[in-house]
Amino acid sequence: MDCKRNRDMKSPPPFPDEVLERILSFITSRKDRSAVSLVSKDWYNAERWTRTSIFIGNCYSVSPQIVIRRFPKIKSVTIKGKPRFSDFNLVPPNWGADIQAWLFAFASAYPFLEELRLKRMTVSDESLEFLSLKFSNFKALSLLSCDGFSTDGLAFIASNSKNLIELDIQENAIDDFSGNWLCCFPENFTSLEILNFANLNSDVNFDALERLVSRCRSLRVLKVNKNIQLGQLQRLLVKAPQLTEIGTGSFLQELNLQQYAELACAFNHFKNLHTLSGLWEVTSVYLPVLYPACTNLTFLNLSTAVLQSDELAKVLGHCPRLQRLWVLDTVGDAGLQSVGSSCPLLEELRVFPADPYSQDIFHGVTESGFLAVSRGCRRLHYVLYFCRQMTNAAVATIVQNCPDFTHFRLCIMNPHQPDYLTDKPMDEAFGAIVKTCTKLQRLAVSGLLTDMTFEYIAKYAKNLETLSVAFAGSSDWGMQCVLDGCPKLRKLEIRDCPFGNAALLSGMERYESMRSLWMSACNLTMNGCRLLAQEMPRLNVEVIKEDESEDCVAEKVYVYRSVAGPRSDAPSFVLTL
Amino acid sequence: MESTDTYETDHLKATELRLGLPGTVEPQKQSPATASIKSNKRALPECAKDCSSNNNSCASDVKDGDCACAPPTKAQIEGWPPVRSYRKNCFQPKKNEPDVTGMYVKVSMDGAPYLRKIDLKVYKSYPELLKALENRFRFTIGEYSEKECYNGSEYVPTYEDKDSDWMLVGDVPWDMFTSSCKRLRIMKGSEARGLGCV
């Protein structure tokens, strides 16, 4: 504590450190804290001593040592690792982003660490064991889209983390050996509030789960996997009426009348439920049991439930307060019509493709479904929409109806597909979006697009932070526009576009103010990347070299700013230039 | 026969629309289900436009210099559409098989002058069936419970199963019921005492 007061006593500070620190401890927003730290040296110091939660958007942008040196009192850490396109298998396995080095450093610097939230990191079972043993006060573990561990690793956490409040294992590519990890929670363990194992595949020991749920009286989030049958779900729900978020298991089990009545009765108790998900294999027989629980629902995730339009319509009739809805495109345009008519408070809609590789345009949703939603849901500001046809006119109308879009992610699934009515490129659609939606932060483009789209983006999308581009553009000019015209751009990910070295190098000055740039299957060469690396020493310019490509071609390029220098753990297929 | 076949195929080949140089023959590539299409660089706008109207993405074929647009199944592009792998494995789309024949069973009600027929396939659950019976015959069925059967009701729904036994409706899962039910009888409550409910 004393060392921080060893500074020049030339001019006494306006008020004591303790007061400044007390005040700053109320500031939780990351951006505010960054701003605070730039005011003066005193404020920088006060800020670093009072920061308890740290967010690292790119694990390679900084080293554990640098983090520890600056922030001595961290209790909560969030780290993101691999580039986002690794979710779609564009990054080879064993690329990196391993958490172990971080955990080693944290074990000595932050022995009282409470929360760890990881996204796209590699986490081994050994790391999970280390985590469970070295951090006695550990409370919350959230792993999203991670890999490298197995259910054995979860067993360590269950056995050893005596103060665990949250265990959230989502969408990870892990080895699912057995569900026995759930048995490892000791009988006197009662602190759990959040349990999410919805995406694990193996059977868990139901008795252990039931006992766990019974004794954790503060449990408010329970998301089970699809091996939990309806009868079992009913028993869990009866033991945990205080739940506010439920992820069900499978709805396939046949129930007799008694069991059906009991299930309906169980759901009837959940008047304060705000999130519902799971619902695998749900059929119209069982949907009605959910209705009483939907009155206060704000988030309904039906993205793993194969529903038809009439089924969805019936459900939505009971969800007047819905703000977020995720569905499969099996509900069709008719289903989306009912979204428009039943959910006036809707803010977020995600429509996922049930059959992404089918080329049959008669499946799924079209522009008319989206239009219907936009007419009824004027508060809509977040959309993720997978479709097989779209028109410029429809998009223009949609954004007129909903001008407040902050996140617009449109995926016309057939690459290079034009407006199906006019056969023109989809440039005007995205032009309409950026002109009308001044608050736009995130944009994903698709369809047949020329450089015009990027001219529009550069001219109008002044708040844009994240841009995803695939199979689009005509020349380097497109990418150059965007790099020049979007001052707030932080993340740019591009695949299969005709952008070459000239485009890459035009953004040289920009990349230091961005988190990262990804370009794959474009027209980059090794020489172009080397040039960038030479000119900008504070950037890491990495090329992923897989065997099949020619020597001079830079097939996959990942550029990011870093204060930690080049990676020391890069595998052989990652070339740091 | 063979000679005419080769004659035809030769002529068909000659008139086939391709972007390759005349006289060059590209080996027919089988599109594997998961080919990784690399470096889809310059999507020539003209070709893309021609191809896309066929609802086939020829973008993947462009780099071969052979914009055949012929095979309806294109090779899958690596990582496209951008859907997480855990989502792809989730489900099989429901097949709504239309039932050609219904499952009509006779329904008799104690005291009613004539029988009715209903199609069990129309109903998807017990509550639906019971409601339909209530409407059809204008009576009320009480609440079902395993112990007290249809408590407090004048009438009790029963059915004759495959073994010719008279069973109480509601004990077994729905699908088992529909597959074993031969006929329905809505029994007067007073008579139902013998079925194990007091």
Side-chain angles (χ1 to χ4, degrees), chain A residues 456-469:
Chain A
Y456 283 137
I457 293 173
K459 188 167 180 193
Y460 296 103
K462 294 306 180 185
N463 285 317
L464 194 66
E465 297 180 20
T466 306
L467 180 62
S468 304
V469 186

Side-chain angles (χ1 to χ4, degrees), chain A residues 87-90 144-145 171 199 226 254-258 260 280 282-285 301 303-304 306-308 311 326 328 330 352-357 359 361 386 411-418 423 446 448 470-471 474 495-498 521-523 548-549 553 555, chain B residues 36-43 45 48-49 52-53 55-60 71-94 96 124-128 130 143-147 150 169-176:
Chain A
D87 284 349
F88 317 121
N89 301 325
L90 290 188
L144 175 56
S145 197
E171 305 171 19
N199 290 112
K226 58 176 144 147
E254 286 170 6
L255 298 182
N256 68 26
L257 201 55
Q258 166 92 349
Y260 184 98
W280 284 280
V282 72
T283 63
S284 37
V285 177
N301 181 353
S303 61
T304 48
V306 181
L307 292 188
Q308 309 303 313
E311 293 165 325
W326 295 14
L328 281 179
T330 53
F352 296 95
D355 203 356
Y357 304 115
Q359 297 196 60
I361 56 166
F386 284 84
C411 183
I412 302 168
M413 286 190 271
N414 231 359
H416 308 290
Q417 184 163 306
D423 235 24
S446 58
L448 180 66
F471 304 102
S474 340
R495 63 165 292 177
D496 295 90
C497 295
C522 297
N523 288 345
E548 300 104 36
S549 56
V553 166
E555 192 59 27
Chain B
S36 125
I37 306 294
K38 296 180 298 301
S39 60
N40 178 27
K41 298 180 173 110
R42 231 164 291 273
K49 238 182 130 186
S52 58
S53 53
N55 204 35
N56 294 330
S57 170
C58 292
S60 47
T73 50
K74 61 171 177 179
Q76 269 178 26
I77 300 173
E78 181 78 47
W80 189 265
V83 176
R84 302 282 312 285
S85 45
Y86 80 94
R87 286 197 180 281
K88 294 178 207 161
N89 304 331
C90 266
F91 34 66
Q92 269 74 51
K94 260 189 331 201
N96 286 328
K124 302 203 185 103
S125 67
Y126 283 119
E128 280 186 38
L130 296 177
E143 288 252 331
Y144 172 85
S145 75
E146 273 181 4
K147 282 204 193 117
Y150 290 90
V169 168
D171 282 335
V172 301
W174 174 255
D175 285 345
M176 197 188 288

